[in-house]
Every structure is written in structure tokens, then in C-alpha cells.
Amino acid sequence: METIETQAEGHATQLQFSRSTKILIWVVFPVLSIALGIASPLTALLSIFILGPTFYLVRYDRRRPEEQRADLETLIWTYLLTGIVGTATVVVAQSLLAYLFALALFPHGAALTQLFQEIQRSEHELASLDASTLAARRRMAGCWQYWVFMLAFAFGAASVPEELLKYAGLMYARRRGRVAHPHNYVTLGAAAALGFSTVENIGFVYAAAKQNQERGELLLTLFERVAVGSPMHAMSGLLIGIAASRRDFFREGGGDMRSYGFLCSSTAPGTSRFLLPVL
């Protein structure tokens, strides 16, 4: 009986959140959910499916042996900070880097303007373009500057800020939260990745809903983001977490291990971003 009571007290202690965490859970998160519901009820409804990978991660972590479970408060803050603050920071960084890469490769104002016009076109716009505009697109796609820009954007402007965000989220958890087991790094690395991925996916679905896409196209966007995008982000977070745990808990590699994890985690997303326009 004493053992059972002691275990129950231990679980109760683990679930005693700080005041700031309670405000985050019971005030900030509901306000954001209501705001999303007002802006786009359909996106709010589909966000239940977008959160699927997150629910799976929490369920997976809670079913681990008790000593391997991540601190729930640390997991929540890592997830939400990388998702909300981190995503906003990454968007700004990606936009700035993309502009600098484009400016270096297309120094003339007309070519620079055309580049950003073309890469921002939707599929519906492409279907209605006239022959002269399509010919101009083909000419741009045939120049070497365009391919260098796509390569630099895929690996430099897009992947690097995102992977740095995941690593920063993990380091925040280590310094400001509670990390007691090597497996915590794996869980928190995935949480940081899914925090970013969730907000990104909501943005994609929100944009698709606002464009009044057909139901099949909207569901395809949802499936692609949840079944492909989130697992890919989670995989990179896992690689960063594994490399960081080997460095911090087992003293393997030092800075080399951190670079190795970062390189592995950024390769797959960068490759997919570069190949998708080609395919």
C-alpha cells in the first residue's frame, strides 16, 4: 500500500504545473483555438487531424518506462514555443535569406520581380496563363541562376533555419526545463519538430481553405502535410535529439556530433524541396 501511495504522490507531483504553464494551457491555447475557429471554421475542424502526430508522440512518451518519460511541462513549452514563436522567427529568416539569394543571382530589378511573381503563383493561376507568360516562365526555368536559387533556397533558406529552430528548442528544454534521461532528448527533439510542423500545416490548410479549393484538393493538402510533412519534420527532430543525447549524456563527438546530427536532419528536407519543383 505504501508503494502504491508513494507512486501516486509522485505522479501527482509531476502534474503540478507552474502558474505560467496553467495560463498557457487554460488561457492562451483556448484563445488561439477560438481565434482560428473565427478566422476559418474549416481549418479549426481539420486541425484535429493535424494534431494527430502530436497526440501520438505524447501517447508514445507516456507509455515509456517512467524513468524515460519526458517532463510534461518541459514538453509542452518546447512544443508551443517552437510552434508559435519559432515558426514566426523562421518565416522572417527564410524570407530574408530568399531575398538575399535572389538579389545576388538576379541583380536586375525586372528579373528579380519576375522571379518572385512566378514562384508565388498558385496552380489555379498557372492554368489560366497566356502563351507569352508561359514562355517567359520557361525561359526563366531554363537559366542557371534559377536552379542555383532553387538549390540555395531548398538547403540554405528553408532547411537551415528550420533545423536550427529544432536544435534551439531542444537546447531550451535542456537549459530551462527538466531533462533527466537520454531518451528525453529524443522525445523533446520530436516535440520541437512537431511544434513547428503543426503550425506550418495549419498555415497550409488555412491557405487552401481561403482559396476555396475543391474538397478533394483540400483533403489531399491535409493528407500530404500530416502523412508526409509531419513525419519528415519529426524524423529530423529525432536525429537532432539522438546526436545531442550522444554528445551530452555519453560524451561522444562534441561539436562534431552536433554537426553530424544537423547535417543528417537537413539533408532529407532540403532534397525534397529541391526535387519537388523538378518533378
Side-chain angles (χ1 to χ4, degrees):
M1 289 294 293
E2 292 181 359
T3 303
I4 295 176
E5 292 175 357
T6 302
Q7 291 177 349
E9 291 175 358
H11 290 302
T13 301
Q14 291 177 1
L15 295 177
Q16 288 180 355
F17 295 139
S18 65
R19 180 180 299 177
S20 59
T21 303
K22 291 178 181 177
I23 293 174
L24 183 70
I25 295 173
W26 299 112
V27 178
V28 176
F29 184 71
V31 167
L32 292 176
S33 301
I34 293 171
L36 178 62
I38 295 174
S40 175
L42 180 58
T43 304
L45 178 63
L46 294 178
S47 65
I48 298 174
F49 299 97
I50 296 174
L51 288 169
T54 301
F55 294 146
Y56 177 81
L57 175 65
V58 175
R59 180 174 178 269
Y60 166 79
D61 180 68
R62 295 299 99 182
R63 298 184 72 175
R64 301 287 300 179
E66 186 174 354
E67 68 276 5
Q68 296 183 12
R69 297 175 193 167
D71 174 66
L72 195 56
E73 189 168 21
T74 303
L75 190 150
I76 290 171
W77 277 102
T78 302
Y79 178 83
L80 290 178
L81 284 178
T82 54
I84 299 173
V85 180
T87 301
T89 305
V90 164
V91 168
V92 173
Q94 289 176 333
S95 301
L96 179 60
L97 288 172
Y99 178 78
L100 292 176
F101 289 147
L103 187 62
L105 293 166
F106 298 90
H108 303 293
L112 184 65
T113 301
Q114 183 188 5
L115 172 68
F116 283 112
Q117 284 179 343
E118 298 303 332
I119 63 178
Q120 291 175 6
R121 292 189 192 274
S122 65
E123 294 181 4
H124 296 285
E125 289 181 282
L126 292 177
S128 61
L129 293 179
D130 55 39
S132 61
T133 305
L134 289 174
R137 282 177 60 86
R138 285 193 293 269
R139 286 195 298 271
M140 172 165 284
C143 68
W144 66 268
Q145 293 95 330
Y146 173 80
W147 292 103
V148 173
F149 171 78
M150 294 303 295
L151 184 66
F153 177 81
F155 287 94
S159 294
V160 169
E162 292 179 8
E163 303 315 307
L164 284 175
L165 170 64
K166 297 165 191 176
Y167 181 76
L170 186 59
M171 292 302 98
Y172 167 85
R174 185 188 70 171
R175 295 177 182 177
R176 302 296 298 271
R178 291 185 287 273
V179 179
H181 191 276
H183 197 273
N184 294 166
Y185 267 27
V186 177
T187 303
L188 294 171
L194 288 177
F196 169 80
S197 176
T198 299
V199 175
E200 182 185 50
N201 293 349
I202 290 174
F204 273 102
V205 173
Y206 177 83
K210 286 299 183 181
Q211 291 174 2
N212 295 319
Q213 289 187 357
E214 296 181 2
R215 183 177 301 176
E217 294 179 341
L218 181 60
L219 292 178
L220 180 62
T221 299
L222 177 66
F223 175 80
E224 187 269 333
R225 296 312 309 172
V226 175
V228 180
S230 289
M232 184 172 292
H233 280 297
M235 179 187 69
S236 65
L238 291 173
L239 290 172
I240 291 174
I242 291 171
S245 68
R246 292 177 62 182
R247 182 199 62 194
D248 293 347
F249 281 92
F250 303 104
R251 306 302 178 188
E252 296 181 6
D256 293 337
M257 184 57 64
R258 176 175 55 197
S259 302
Y260 173 76
F262 181 79
L263 177 63
C264 290
S265 67
S266 60
T267 299
T271 302
S272 66
R273 288 189 180 96
F274 179 69
L275 291 180
L276 279 176
V278 179
L279 300 177

